[in-house]
Every structure is written in C-alpha cells, then in structure tokens.
C-alpha cells in the first residue's frame, strides 16, 4: 500500500479506484429540456457523489488544486465526501471559494482541475465540478450558513460591480473583518450570473441564495449605481470614506461584425438577447413588460463559438425556434465553448454550421431581417491567437433564411469607469492595467480584476482575480503599504 | 425605492415628477437621462432629466403617456415610489459659449431642451428658443423657456395658440432673415429632428439632436440602442444621447424604434382594458404604491 493510502478514509484500494466508472451526471432528457428553461443537469445524489468521490487517487502532490484559479483543496474536500461529512466538504471549499454552487455549474473543469487529474491519463477524470456542486447544493438544502465571527477592522471597501470577481472580493474581505459595500449598475445583484448565463445552466435561485448568504455575512449591496456616472471612484475614496476600491465592472460593450444589415430589426447582440431573457424575463411577456421578438416557429442563428453563443442559441431553441443554428467561422477544434455545453447543444438539436461566416444581413425591404448571406471558410496558417486563420472559399456564398440573428463574437472594454477616474492607466484595448499578482492598478488604493482587466474570460478566472485582489486589499488595509 | 415628492400634470398626458434621488441630483448635467423601472415586472425605459436640485436631493422628469409603462407612470401620484431609477446616464450636453444658439423643443422634447437652454444662456450665449406642440394644451414650460431665452417662438400644428405651423417654419424664418446661428439644438419627435437637420445641413449650421432609441441597461452593455452615425455604429447610451444631426441616419432610428410595435400595442391595449374593467381598484399587476 502506498503511503497516502494508509491514512486514507477511502475503503477502495487505489488500484480498484480506476475500475469505478465516472458517475454520470443525471440530466433532463434532451427532447424535454429543449422546450423548457429548467436546469439541464440534475445533480448527484449522495450515493452517486460518494461513489464518484471514491475514485480520487489522493495524489501526494495534487495537480487539480494547482490548476484551480482559486486553489480549492480538492483532495481534502473529496475525502470529506467519502467520509460522509458533506457540510465539512462545503466548508473546506468555502475556504477558497465563496460561490461553490455557481462554479460547480459553470467552471470549465476540463481545462482546469479535471484537465490535470491523474486519472485522466488512463480513464476519465474525477468529476470534481459535479462533486463541488453536490456539496454546495447539500449545504444550501440544509440551510446551514456559517457566519464569520471576526473582529471588525474599521476599514471600508467599495466594490464596483456585483459579478463573479466583485462577489468574491466582497465574500473574502467580509470574512477578514472589513466592511464591504457592493455597487451594481443594474437593478439586480449578480452581474453576468443574472443577465448573461441562462436559467437552464445556472438557476437564478442559486445565485440569489449565494447572495443572501453574503448578506447574512454582512456584505451590503446598493443597486442602481453606475460608478463613473452616479458616483466616481474619487468620490468614493475622498467623500464617502472608503479605504480601498475594487473595480470589477466586467466585459462591457458588445462587438458587432460591421457588415451590411447589422441594424436590421431582428439582429441582436448576445448581451441584449440574453439580458432580455434572463434579467428582464421578456419571454414571459406580457406578464413582464419588456418585449422581445417572438421566436416560435422562426429560424434563428447565433454567430460565434463561445459559451455565450451557445447560451443564446439554446435559449432561442427553448423559446420555440424552428431551426437554431450556430454559425462559426472556424472548426470544432477551435471552438472556445465548454465541451459539455457543445455536447448538450448537439443533443438538443442545434445545427452547427462550422467554417461559415456571415458577410451580409438581408432584409425584406421594410427593415426586417430575412436571411444571412454566408460564405464557407477553410483554415489557413495560424494567426496571432495561435489558431488557424479562417479563409473564405471563393464562390461558396449562400443565403441562410433567418428571422433573428444574434451576434456573439465578444466584447470590448466599457470605458465609463476608466474615463472618469484620473490616473487609472489602461492598456491599448482600454482594459484597466492591473498587476497580475496583486490586482493593484496605477491608482493608490484602487484594485481591479476580472474581464475589465483581462477582456472576456470565465467566471472562475474572474473569481481567481477577486481572490488575489482580496488578499492584497487586506494587506494594503492592514499595512498601509502600497 | 425612489420616492415621488411631487407629481403634477403640465398638459393632458404630460406629467412632471419630482423624485428623491440624492446621488443623481448631485451629478446631473443638462442632456443626461435616467433609466427607470416602476415595479418588479416592469420594463426599463430611458427618460431625460428635466432638472435637478442637489440641495433637496431631487431630480425632475417629464413624462408623456405613450405606451403601457408611461401610462402607468403617469398614474403615480405624490407619495408613491418608483422601484428603480438609475443615472445620470449619457454624456452631458456640450455647454460653452457658441454665440447664438437656437434651441428647438418639440412636444415633450421641450422638457429635455429646457435644461440645455438654461445652461447655454448661463454660459453667455444668445438663446433663441422655438417651441412646437400639436395644440395649445400641449405647449409646456413656456414660462420656463422664456426665463432662459432671449426670444421664444411658439408654433402649434392647429394654430390654436401662437403661430400655426411647425418649428421648422420658424427656423426657416430665422435663416431667411439672415440671423447668424452658431448652433442649433433640436429635441423632439424623430420627424421633427430630421426636418431640422435637413434644413440646417443646406445652411451648414452645426446641429445637435438628442436621440431616443430603445434601451435596456444604459451603460453600453447591451448594444440595443445602437444608432448609425456617419455610417458607423454608436451606442446612444454611452456615446450619446446627443449627436451631430448631419451624421445621424434617421431612417435606421425610425425603423429600429418600430421593432416591438406589436408588443407595445398589445401591452397598452391590455393595460387600458384592465383599467376600464376595474371598478375603483387597480387591476394591473400593481406597481408599489400605485394609486388606482
């Protein structure tokens, strides 16, 4: 027996662990879920979770933790699941991650913890994301919230934006005894978690519960505040008495293709399309007042190959679209979306038009979209991103009839905070310049992290930045050193 | 929640609200707007700020009933509250000394033109204001406009008050009389702004219009308010709402504003139906504190 196994609570010998198959995530049947907004994945039972947890090889040097942007002690929390101490497992995760029910659902585990799992050399990796989700949901179901009992430091921190990075900063700093107030531009807390990611991937109830938990811990929230317009960073520091500010305003402005017909009625940005659905509940019109175009029996396409693109087109399908296409200019291999999402989308009947790009949107002459004129592509030499550059194939143009097209090709930096904060240096693309280690900006007492620093990335990378920022804000508040 | 300190009708269907909003009142500048949501199931709509009073922590807005949300809004009274008010949004009007400025306000647009006219006057400009309305009842803020203008010209479509005609008739007269005009600012219905732009384009008079596309967040995030300016996409919420009138593609603006016409009409019809069906009690999903 190996040295690790002697201390192990795992009754299965390391050799036999490989023989346990990865436990499948129970999910709603594709044909059913394509017509509703209920969650696709249903979650492990306690039995499934323990069976899956037993597959962990308990590596002496776990690479899973090294590859987690927030450094969750995976080995330890999985061991607690094997031992049946689910609340202990949740507490272990919370030491590193204040939003486990969310990351357990939306993290790209295949690129992170699970991607480096030793099991994956021979068999399928440990279902770390599924296990994280299981314990977070278990904790929530039990209704046990541990509210930290720390001495107040008397320091106050303003957090700008209530998305993944801001919530992480708030959750971490409140547990260190600082007062934290989070400012949100929209009327609901959660940022991209509420306006961007759809219900079937991340139920809003889960987000609300996590936020309520943070309220219980003492985090204050103020909605309807656009920092830069309603109040400036300087006013927060000088007039409102905050000792530090964290900027986590997110990705920002949607990019468009800059092709003819992009202003036609029926052409949306993914941000607008998803905001109407997720935040404004436009699909419940007229119970909710915000309208959106009726998709029933219509043909809809999304342009782009990321998670946002898939969120948009899978939403369209659920709203009754007859045909639902993904138009992506590169091939499967280059698609940035999570493998699980692509798999789910294919199961649901999404039609992937790969190596295809729209060159013009066509209208009925009255301002309404009728089709996308597309061209087929082939892959040439690698470009700056390291991916092979798509090149149009001469004479391959064709028209794809469409009532609605959703552009999901990325975002550019929102300039509101940067343009109203003197001394805050930005990079060439307008994103805020911040240290990769400390998330410090060029302004004393001002930190930044998440998409507003890196450009569009993932929930967990934003949370990782939030974690680093919280640590360095704490250091700054306790030492005063900059 | 944002409390309504005072509500009064300025004209049939046009109501002014003074709202407690300390943060916005401190920061508001002419030309900026707020986005509001009346109740939980409500939509977000942009409304230009008419004025603000930092001392009293209030802003005022002027709302003309057009769709369901504005009808609902206009049913609110002093003491009621609005669930969400966020702002001030958009770039402020560019206020400096131009010389002679013609401020054109059409209909409820007069309420949006008023703070800009006042600021331009204070910056030392000669301010000539043209106010247009469908009829006498709908002429608003005449007294206020007179107080901040060197001259005010009024037109009504039906001639029931002042001169019969359109604001562009007055603008043409000014131009034909050889009045030196350094800047025209026009706020009102799209057809009016377009007509002003076409008239001043020929005369090479710099002209600014305030655009009112469909919006959701107001911070640049959704891109729904994109307008075509000089052939390029710009976002009215962060790049505007004021733009060089001679670069605006008004036909795209008109077309995009019709995107939800069916839904808007249905909403309004259902709202009216529920209002007429009710007997003293509000049958619509009640806004917080709404009066029946």
């Amino acid at each position: 027996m190996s040295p690790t196994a002697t201390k192990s609570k795992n009754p299965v010998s390391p050799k036999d662990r490989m023989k346990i198959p990865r436990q499948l995530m129970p999910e709603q049947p594709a044909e059913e879920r394509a017509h509703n907004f209920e969650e696709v994945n249903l979650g492990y039972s306690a039995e499934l979770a323990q069976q899956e947890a037993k597959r962990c090889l308990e590596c002496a040097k776990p690479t899973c933790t090294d590859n987690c942007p927030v450094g969750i002690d995976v080995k330890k929390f999985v061991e607690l699941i094997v031992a049946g101490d689910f609340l202990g497992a949740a507490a272990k995760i919370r030491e590193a991650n204040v939003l486990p029910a969310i990351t357990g659902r939306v993290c790209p585990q295949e690129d992170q913890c699970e991607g480096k799992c030793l099991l994956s050399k021979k068999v399928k990796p440990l279902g770390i994301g599924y296990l994280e989700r299981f314990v977070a949901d278990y904790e929530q179901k039990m209704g046990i919230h541990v509210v930290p009992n720390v001495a107040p430091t008397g320091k106050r921190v303003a957090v700008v934006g209530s998305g993944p990075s801001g919530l992480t900063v708030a959750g971490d700093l409140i547990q260190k005894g600082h007062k934290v107030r989070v400012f949100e531009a929209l009327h609901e807390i959660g940022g991209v978690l509420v306006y961007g990611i759809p219900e079937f991937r991340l139920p809003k109830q889960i987000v609300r519960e996590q936020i309520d938990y943070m309220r219980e811990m003492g985090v204050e929230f103020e909605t309807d505040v656009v920092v830069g317009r309603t109040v400036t960073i300087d006013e927060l520091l000088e007039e409102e008495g905050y000792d530090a500010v964290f900027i986590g305003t997110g990705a920002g402005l949607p990019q468009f293709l800059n092709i003819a017909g992009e202003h036609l009625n029926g052409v949306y940005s993914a941000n607008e399309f998803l905001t109407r659905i997720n935040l404004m509940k436009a699909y419940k019109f007229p119970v909710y007042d915000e309208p959106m175009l009726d998709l029933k029996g219509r043909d809809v396409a999304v342009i782009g190959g990321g998670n946002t693109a898939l969120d948009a087109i899978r939403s369209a399908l659920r709203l009754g679209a007859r045909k639902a296409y993904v138009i992506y200019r590169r091939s499967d291999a280059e698609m940035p979306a999570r493998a699980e999402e692509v798999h789910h989308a294919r199961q649901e009947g999404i039609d992937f038009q790969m190596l295809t790009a729209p060159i013009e949107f066509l209208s009925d002459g009255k301002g309404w979209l009728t089709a996308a004129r597309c061209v087929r592509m082939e892959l040439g030499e690698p470009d700056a991103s390291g991916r092979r550059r798509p090149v149009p194939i001469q004479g391959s143009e064709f028209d794809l009839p469409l009532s609605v097209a959703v552009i999901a090709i990325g975002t550019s930096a929102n300039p509101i905070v940067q343009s109203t904060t003197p001394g805050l240096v930005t990079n060439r693309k307008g994103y805020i310049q911040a240290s990769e280690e400390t998330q410090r900006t060029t302004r004393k007492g001002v930190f930044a992290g998440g998409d507003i620093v890196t450009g569009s990335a993932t929930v967990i990378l934003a949370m990782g930045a939030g974690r680093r920022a919280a640590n360095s804000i704490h250091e700054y508040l306790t030492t005063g050193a900059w | 929640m944002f409390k309504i300190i005072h509500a009064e009708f300025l004209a049939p269907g046009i109501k002014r609200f003074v709202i407690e909003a300390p943060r916005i009142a401190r920061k508001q500048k002419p030309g900026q707007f707020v986005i509001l949501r009346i109740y939980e199931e409500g939509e977000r709509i942009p409304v230009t700020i008419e004025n603000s009073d930092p001392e009293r922590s209030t802003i005022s807005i002027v709302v003309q009933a057009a769709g369901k949300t504005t009808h609902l809004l206009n049913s609110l009274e002093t003491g009621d509250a609005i669930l969400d008010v966020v702002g001030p949004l958009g770039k402020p009007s560019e206020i400096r000394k131009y010389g002679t400025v013609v401020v054109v306000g059409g209909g409820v647009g007069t309420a949006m033109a008023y703070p800009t006219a006042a600021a331009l006057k204070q910056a030392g400009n000669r301010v000539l204001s043209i106010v247009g309305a469908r009829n006498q009842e709908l002429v608003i803020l005449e007294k206020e406009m007179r107080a901040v203008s060197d001259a005010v010209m009024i037109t009504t479509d039906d001639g029931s008050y002042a001169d019969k005609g359109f604001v562009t008739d007055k603008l043409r007269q000014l131009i034909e009389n050889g009045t030196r005009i350094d800047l025209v600012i026009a706020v009102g219905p799209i057809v009016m702004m377009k007509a002003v732009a076409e008239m001043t384009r020929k005369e090479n008079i710099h002209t600014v219009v305030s655009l009112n596309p469909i919006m959701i967040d107001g911070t640049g995030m959704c891109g729904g308010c994109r307008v075509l300016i000089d052939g390029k996409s710009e976002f009215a919420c962060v790049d505007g709402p004021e733009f060089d009138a001679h670069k605006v593609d008004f036909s795209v603006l008109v077309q995009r504003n019709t995107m939800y016409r069916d839904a808007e009409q249905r909403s309004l019809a259902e709202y009216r139906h529920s209002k007429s069906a009710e007997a003293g009690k509000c049958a619509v999903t009640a806004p917080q504190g709404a009066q029946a």
Side-chain angles (χ1 to χ4, degrees):
Chain A
M1 265 193 162
S2 71
T4 51
T6 49
K7 287 182 289 176
S8 175
K9 296 189 175 72
N10 194 334
V12 183
S13 78
K15 228 170 69 187
D16 288 343
R17 291 178 201 177
M18 300 262 232
K19 291 179 190 155
I20 306 173
R22 177 169 158 128
Q23 302 301 297
L24 292 178
M25 168 60 78
E27 53 187 47
Q28 255 201 90
E31 58 276 16
E32 270 176 42
R33 69 179 191 243
H35 307 292
N36 68 50
F37 272 84
E38 307 290 310
E39 211 178 351
V40 173
N41 287 342
L42 301 173
Y44 276 162
S45 62
E47 293 71 31
L48 280 176
Q50 286 193 293
Q51 185 69 357
E52 180 63 24
K54 284 175 191 159
R55 297 178 64 231
C56 179
L57 296 176
E58 299 174 281
C59 306
K61 286 184 184 156
T63 47
C64 46
T65 298
D66 295 344
N67 280 284
C68 172
V70 295
I72 293 174
D73 189 344
V74 175
K75 182 169 133 180
K76 187 70 195 169
F77 98 74
V78 172
E79 185 188 306
L80 288 163
I81 296 176
V82 174
D85 182 2
F86 304 143
L87 288 175
K92 181 47 74 183
I93 296 174
R94 280 194 177 276
E95 287 174 11
N97 173 6
V98 292
L99 305 167
I102 294 169
T103 49
R105 287 172 165 82
V106 302
C107 261
Q109 287 96 4
E110 66 270 24
D111 300 329
Q112 295 167 171
C113 51
E114 296 181 19
K116 291 293 159 72
C117 176
L118 201 59
L119 280 171
S120 64
K121 298 208 162 147
K122 296 246 170 86
V123 290
K124 287 195 171 152
L126 184 66
I128 300 169
Y130 295 165
L131 292 173
E132 180 184 34
R133 172 193 158 133
F134 167 74
V135 293
D137 287 355
Y138 182 87
E139 180 195 44
Q140 184 60 42
K141 210 161 58 194
M142 292 294 122
I144 298 165
H145 287 176
V146 188
V147 176
N149 183 17
V150 285
T153 62
K155 301 287 185 185
R156 298 171 68 220
V157 181
V159 172
V160 183
S162 67
S165 71
L167 289 177
T168 301
V169 170
D172 280 7
L173 289 178
I174 203 85
Q175 297 188 64
K176 294 181 197 291
H178 307 297
K179 272 195 79 131
V180 185
R181 190 172 183 87
V182 181
F183 296 95
E184 168 55 46
L186 291 170
H187 57 257
E188 207 170 315
I189 302 295
V192 71
L193 305 173
V194 296
Y195 76 73
I197 303 177
E199 189 75 17
F200 57 84
R201 212 149 69 77
L202 178 64
K204 301 309 144 221
Q205 184 57 28
I206 300 283
V207 181
R208 275 193 289 272
E209 284 163 359
Q210 301 278 311
I211 287 158
D212 286 345
Y213 191 171
M214 299 186 76
R215 278 206 179 91
E216 283 174 45
M217 291 199 289
V219 177
E220 295 171 0
F221 292 97
E222 186 173 343
T223 52
D224 297 329
V225 177
V226 180
V227 171
R229 293 259 191 253
T230 315
V231 63
T232 63
I233 300 282
D234 285 298
E235 286 163 346
L236 289 173
L237 288 166
E238 285 154 28
E239 294 170 27
E240 301 202 14
Y242 288 97
D243 300 289
V245 176
F246 173 78
I247 305 168
T249 46
L253 316 181
Q255 287 181 346
F256 287 91
L257 295 156
N258 295 319
I259 61 175
E262 213 154 27
H263 285 76
L264 292 171
N265 294 352
V267 181
Y268 285 103
S269 77
N271 276 3
E272 181 184 1
F273 187 76
L274 289 168
T275 299
R276 283 187 185 273
I277 295 170
N278 300 327
L279 180 73
M280 304 308 298
K281 307 274 181 279
Y283 63 96
K284 294 184 182 170
F285 180 89
V287 174
Y288 282 74
D289 290 338
E290 193 81 53
M292 68 180 295
L293 295 178
D294 188 358
L295 304 182
K296 280 186 208 75
R298 307 289 190 90
D299 297 341
V300 182
V302 68
I303 291 96
N307 287 319
T308 306
L310 293 190
D311 284 347
I313 200 64
R314 294 173 71 200
S315 296
L317 189 71
R318 283 156 172 77
L319 294 174
R322 183 176 63 178
K323 292 290 293 177
Y325 304 98
V326 168
I327 300 177
Y328 182 53
R329 63 193 184 127
R330 302 178 198 252
S331 71
D332 276 48
E334 291 85 18
M335 255 183 106
R338 285 185 64 198
E340 184 178 41
E341 306 306 329
V342 178
H343 172 68
H344 280 157
R346 286 194 201 278
Q347 280 182 330
E348 290 165 12
I350 304 290
D351 183 338
F352 285 79
Q353 295 285 322
M354 308 305 271
L355 288 164
T356 304
I359 49 174
E360 184 182 354
F361 291 113
L362 308 177
S363 87
D364 63 355
K366 294 176 201 147
W368 289 86
L369 176 72
T370 55
R373 178 154 296 162
C374 298
V375 63
R376 299 290 186 192
M377 315 291 275
E378 58 192 350
L379 294 177
E381 295 299 309
D383 63 12
S385 74
R387 297 177 296 178
R388 292 177 64 194
R389 183 194 301 275
V391 184
I393 300 172
Q394 290 286 321
S396 67
E397 290 83 358
F398 67 101
D399 293 347
L400 188 68
L402 293 175
S403 297
V404 170
V406 181
I407 318 280
I409 57 165
T411 55
S412 57
N414 189 318
I416 294 181
V417 169
Q418 295 90 309
S419 64
T420 53
T421 312
L424 193 67
V425 175
T426 56
N427 69 15
R428 195 170 43 84
K429 289 182 170 172
Y431 293 106
I432 297 174
Q433 197 177 302
S435 151
E436 280 180 31
E437 279 162 44
T438 64
Q439 307 298 138
R440 286 182 184 188
T441 68
T442 50
R443 278 287 305 271
K444 189 181 177 191
V446 180
F447 301 76
D451 284 2
I452 195 60
V453 171
T454 58
S456 304
T458 60
V459 167
I460 191 66
L461 286 174
M463 290 175 61
R467 170 137 276 242
R468 289 192 298 280
N471 287 335
S472 71
I473 291 170
H474 179 64
E475 192 190 311
Y476 169 67
L477 293 179
T478 41
T479 66
W482 185 259
Chain B
M1 295 291 271
F2 295 78
K3 203 172 162 198
I4 297 170
I5 304 296
H6 185 70
E8 60 170 335
F9 277 102
L10 298 180
I14 300 178
K15 201 166 183 178
R16 177 201 268 141
F17 298 92
V18 179
I19 302 164
E20 198 171 71
R23 286 192 184 279
I24 306 172
R26 270 183 52 180
K27 302 289 285 185
Q28 181 262 342
K29 294 198 172 75
Q32 291 187 299
F33 62 95
V34 289
I35 284 185
L36 54 84
R37 189 177 71 131
I38 308 176
Y39 65 121
E40 195 53 47
E41 289 82 17
E43 62 180 339
R44 293 169 66 99
I45 61 160
V47 181
T48 303
I49 305 167
E50 182 219 16
N51 217 337
S52 60
D53 186 340
E55 311 256 295
R56 295 205 172 104
S57 296
T58 59
I59 60 165
S60 58
I61 58 172
V62 176
V63 179
Q64 181 164 37
K68 176 185 173 184
T69 300
T70 43
H71 272 97
L72 255 178
L73 199 53
N74 281 6
S75 74
L76 301 184
E77 302 286 353
T78 303
D80 290 340
I82 297 171
L83 187 54
D84 296 286
V85 181
V86 62
L89 300 169
K91 288 184 181 163
S93 306
E94 205 180 315
I95 304 297
R96 57 187 167 86
K97 189 164 176 183
Y98 296 92
T100 298
V101 182
V102 175
V103 177
V104 183
V108 74
T110 307
M112 307 162 198
Y114 163 66
T116 304
L120 285 166
K121 179 67 192 163
Q122 201 167 11
N125 292 285
R126 179 169 171 241
V127 175
L128 308 177
S129 296
I130 306 174
V131 173
R134 281 208 309 276
N135 58 46
Q136 179 170 16
E137 279 189 316
L138 296 174
V139 175
I140 58 167
L141 301 175
E142 183 185 344
K143 194 172 73 183
E144 286 85 346
M145 286 300 272
R146 288 201 185 280
V148 300
S149 309
D150 293 272
V152 175
M153 289 143 274
I154 297 175
T155 61
T156 49
D157 297 4
D158 64 356
S160 55
Y161 182 61
D163 292 346
K164 181 176 161 63
F166 300 111
V167 289
T168 40
D169 297 333
K170 289 289 171 195
L171 183 61
R172 186 184 298 113
Q173 277 175 23
L174 285 174
I175 293 168
E176 284 171 359
N177 291 346
T179 312
R180 181 198 154 90
I181 303 171
D182 300 290
L183 173 71
V184 173
I185 294 182
V187 193
I190 298 174
V191 283
M192 181 210 91
M193 294 192 287
K194 188 179 177 190
V196 168
E198 277 165 12
M199 183 172 287
T200 58
R201 188 196 311 272
K202 287 180 225 140
E203 309 295 329
N204 228 350
I205 302 170
H206 182 42
T207 302
V208 170
V209 288
S210 179
L211 304 186
N212 56 341
I214 293 168
M215 272 182 203
I216 307 180
D217 64 295
T219 65
M221 183 271 281
C222 87
C225 66
R226 61 190 190 276
V227 287
L228 207 51
I229 306 294
D230 213 8
K232 286 207 314 246
S233 257
E234 298 212 27
F235 295 170
C237 68
V238 287
D239 302 319
E242 293 184 356
F243 292 97
D244 181 339
H246 299 153
K247 293 182 176 167
V248 173
D249 187 327
F250 287 101
S251 57
V252 162
L253 180 63
V254 170
Q255 165 227 308
R256 286 185 61 80
N257 276 0
T258 63
M259 192 146 159
Y260 300 109
R261 184 160 288 170
D262 291 349
E264 286 160 3
Q265 282 170 354
R266 182 175 163 198
S267 255
L268 183 59
E270 286 180 15
Y271 171 74
R272 285 201 165 124
H273 180 72
S274 69
K275 290 296 276 187
S276 60
E278 83 191 27
K281 59 177 190 297
C282 191
V284 184
T285 319
Q288 298 276 352
Q291 302 282 303

